[in-house]
Amino acid sequence: MRYFSILAFTLSLLISINVNGQTDESALKTIYSTSLTNGKSYEWLDYLSNEIGGRLSGSKNAELAVQYTKAELEKLGLDKVWLQPVMVPKWERGEKEEAFYLIENQKKNVNICALGGSIATDENGLQANIVEVHDFEELEKLGRENIEGKIVFYNRPMQADLISTFNAYGGCVNQRYAGAMEAAKYGAIGVIVRSMNLRQDDFPHTGSMSYGDLPVEQRIPSAAISTNDANVLSVALKSNKDLQFYFKQNCKQYEDVPSYNVIGEITGSEYPNEYIIVGGHLDSWDLGDGAHDDGAGVVQSMDVLRLLKESGITPKRSIRVVLFMNEENGLRGATEYARVAKENNENHIFALESDAGGFTPRGFSFSANDTNFNQVLGWQSLFKPYLIHYFEQGGSGADVGPLKTETNVVAGLRPDSQRYFDHHHASNDTFEHVNKRELELGAATMTALVYLYDKYGVNPITKETEIKN
Ligand SMILES: [Zn+2]
């Protein structure tokens, strides 16, 4: 027993210094300096955003993004780079949508966009009375007698006094995702949803919606309206309950098409069968160029492997970058990656995702048991010099979620979220709204955490128990 405590103590002294005699503090300093002075994330993002553009699953651009990121990873001198096949949905917006309402025979145009997965209106568009509601309870109270044959207008705004805008988003997004499915139950013929945006502006924000198990003939077209137009429409409805709303959209769902996750790996020097992954999603919505969602996460994850190399770190464990396809409207890439990992019995000890925008990093959220969370809290002070020390238990990312086990850790990078929903899924999610230094700080922060997990592994108490046994 005593022998083991002395051994454990000696080990703990040794592990704070790596083979190069570098402390964790100096390793992190090297990583941050390298990212800020010699990072590659911004250059990659420029290409992905400006040369390729929006990368909706199943589109030509998504295919170009697969080829581009694979070629860039191949230049990094990794041990392996490969494509993992996956079938993805293909939905196209078609010609730009049109919408207006009529008040005293005057046409007032409004900004809308079809929600992802929605059906089109017929070719002449759809015109009807419109009923404003704020939630599904209100819809139920109004009932079929007030809804049938009309358009339902969901107008519950994001809650402005929540500090995490993701919580505000979570409080609203059911209107977008399930609004059509719910309204159709009462005989509605179309749905207009207030954009998930805390700012007042003219940009409609798309995003996924679902008809659930609604039969095809009962499906109704569903679109988002800009926050400015939602407010104006709401005011107009107060003085004229009978106003007519018109919209036309031309979207179409096709058969699934083949696509890929893009994967690169540095094989571990000591524990090659323990995997640490970093990732973001390669697909985006089609309105902007997807720079924040999730071009930023893609290029930061790519740079993690490069920054480890540039900082002279030889990982003991296998480090993978995974660029997931089809997070936005299906999560097919993440589901397939997790399926294959399980099939191959790969031990994923830690998975980190960046999918909350390329803004200044504040810290991480961890889906981890108490032991594992305490381990990471022990590293928190290392991040303080970079003003990045918000470590929270609970939540990770959509793409890494399927890899969670009882003993491993999955996590999400947490950047400042105040401006994220100004851009999320809208035509202003573009490259010029990403700040180079903020993006690079995010890449460094992810690299630093990967460095620590690589060096110490996960769940050290379990390991100690194993040694004793
Ligand atoms: Zn995203």
Side-chain angles (χ1 to χ4, degrees):
M1 203 57 196
R2 218 170 117 198
Y3 169 74
F4 284 113
S5 26
I6 295 165
L7 179 70
F9 178 71
T10 318
L11 273 175
S12 74
L13 278 182
L14 283 174
I15 57 179
S16 66
I17 301 169
N18 74 13
V19 278
N20 306 322
Q22 212 179 197
T23 62
D24 291 337
E25 285 80 1
S26 66
L28 262 63
K29 178 106 187 56
T30 306
I31 290 167
Y32 276 93
S33 305
T34 308
S35 188
L36 288 168
T37 60
N38 176 30
K40 195 93 159 106
S41 53
Y42 194 68
E43 183 187 321
W44 282 327
L45 188 64
D46 187 1
Y47 192 94
L48 212 50
S49 309
N50 293 322
E51 301 302 320
I52 297 176
R55 302 169 294 282
L56 191 55
S57 286
S59 68
K60 180 74 191 157
N61 279 1
E63 196 182 311
L64 290 173
V66 165
Q67 298 309 332
Y68 171 67
T69 50
K70 176 172 179 272
E72 289 302 304
L73 288 176
E74 278 166 349
K75 291 180 195 165
L76 300 184
L78 307 179
D79 296 308
K80 287 185 228 169
V81 177
W82 73 102
L83 299 181
Q84 182 175 62
V86 59
M87 294 299 287
V88 297
K90 180 178 165 76
W91 175 89
E92 273 179 4
R93 182 170 305 282
E95 214 178 295
K96 191 172 161 39
E97 303 82 352
E98 278 175 68
F100 58 82
Y101 62 85
L102 288 168
I103 195 156
E104 289 160 5
N105 285 326
Q106 294 282 310
K107 237 167 119 178
K108 165 82 176 87
N109 289 316
V110 293
N111 295 291
I112 67 152
C113 66
L115 294 180
S118 174
I119 61 164
T121 56
D122 75 33
E123 57 187 26
N124 299 318
L126 188 165
Q127 186 169 324
N129 286 130
I130 185 161
V131 189
E132 178 177 341
V133 299
H134 297 87
D135 52 43
F136 297 151
E137 289 80 66
E138 207 178 325
L139 186 75
E140 196 188 342
K141 261 185 219 148
L142 284 170
R144 184 168 276 272
E145 72 226 68
N146 294 301
I147 302 289
E148 191 160 31
K150 295 180 183 164
I151 297 167
V152 169
F153 168 36
Y154 291 99
N155 193 28
R156 183 165 84 256
M158 285 173 77
Q159 201 182 318
D161 59 355
L162 293 176
I163 301 306
S164 163
T165 62
F166 281 89
N167 290 344
Y169 179 67
C172 271
V173 74
N174 69 337
Q175 300 172 99
R176 188 193 78 205
Y177 189 73
M181 174 175 15
E182 291 300 318
K185 289 181 190 165
Y186 304 99
I189 58 167
V191 157
I192 297 292
V193 185
R194 182 190 182 90
S195 288
M196 311 287 125
N197 177 8
L198 278 154
R199 193 169 68 168
Q200 294 305 313
D201 63 28
D202 295 323
F203 301 105
H205 294 225
T206 191
S208 63
M209 56 83 61
S210 166
Y211 292 111
D213 47 18
L214 212 60
V216 176
E217 66 280 5
Q218 287 176 31
R219 296 180 181 181
I220 58 176
S222 179
I225 187 168
S226 75
T227 48
N228 275 345
D229 289 327
N231 288 355
V232 171
L233 176 63
S234 181
V235 169
L237 266 170
K238 283 189 178 66
S239 57
N240 183 358
K241 296 256 176 281
D242 292 325
L243 74 74
Q244 293 273 304
F245 191 91
Y246 170 90
F247 74 114
K248 180 173 185 286
Q249 56 190 31
N250 313 287
C251 39
K252 193 173 172 189
Q253 188 80 48
Y254 295 83
E255 294 288 303
D256 289 357
V257 295
S259 187
Y260 304 93
N261 291 326
V262 182
I263 308 173
E265 179 182 303
I266 301 173
T267 305
S269 59
E270 286 179 45
Y271 312 108
N273 298 325
E274 286 193 14
Y275 293 93
I276 291 174
I277 73 160
V278 285
H281 62 86
L282 202 46
D283 66 305
S284 76
W285 283 106
D286 56 330
L287 296 171
D289 61 38
H292 275 297
D293 188 13
D294 184 25
V298 163
V299 297
Q300 286 172 327
S301 300
M302 289 166 70
D303 222 8
V304 168
L305 276 68
R306 183 184 156 274
L307 291 171
L308 287 171
K309 276 180 161 283
E310 294 280 316
S311 306
I313 294 160
T314 306
K316 296 195 281 191
R317 297 172 163 85
S318 292
I319 317 285
R320 276 186 192 163
V321 53
V322 184
L323 310 178
F324 296 96
M325 184 52 75
N326 184 230
E327 187 272 347
E328 294 291 3
N329 53 339
L331 211 67
R332 300 278 186 88
T335 310
E336 180 62 6
Y337 182 83
R339 189 194 67 76
V340 173
K342 198 171 175 197
E343 188 176 271
N344 295 340
N345 257 325
E346 289 170 353
N347 179 17
H348 282 68
I349 63 160
F350 176 59
L352 172 62
E353 178 160 2
S354 167
D355 183 18
F359 299 101
T360 306
R362 300 287 192 214
F364 304 96
S365 61
F366 297 90
S367 182
N369 62 34
D370 289 346
T371 307
N372 291 338
F373 188 61
N374 283 333
Q375 176 189 25
V376 85
L377 284 180
W379 300 332
Q380 199 177 19
S381 61
L382 288 167
F383 291 85
K384 285 200 173 170
Y386 310 96
L387 305 177
I388 298 161
H389 43 278
Y390 173 76
F391 283 31
E392 153 194 77
Q393 200 172 10
S396 54
D399 289 304
V400 295
L403 293 167
K404 182 76 189 95
T405 66
E406 266 175 45
T407 51
N408 74 0
V409 177
V410 299
L413 181 70
R414 289 283 155 249
D416 186 282
S417 74
Q418 300 313 315
R419 285 170 289 153
Y420 186 57
F421 290 95
D422 295 359
H423 303 280
H424 185 245
H425 300 176
S427 61
N428 63 338
D429 180 3
T430 48
F431 180 70
E432 66 270 23
H433 296 293
V434 177
N435 174 280
K436 182 172 183 286
R437 283 180 66 82
E438 292 179 358
L439 183 75
E440 289 166 349
L441 279 172
T445 302
M446 294 170 74
T447 312
L449 188 62
V450 165
Y451 157 81
L452 290 164
Y453 269 114
D454 175 61
K455 186 167 165 183
Y456 298 112
V458 87
N459 208 351
I461 288 178
T462 309
K463 284 199 180 300
E464 222 169 77
T465 317
E466 277 167 13
I467 293 169
K468 280 178 195 162
N469 293 339

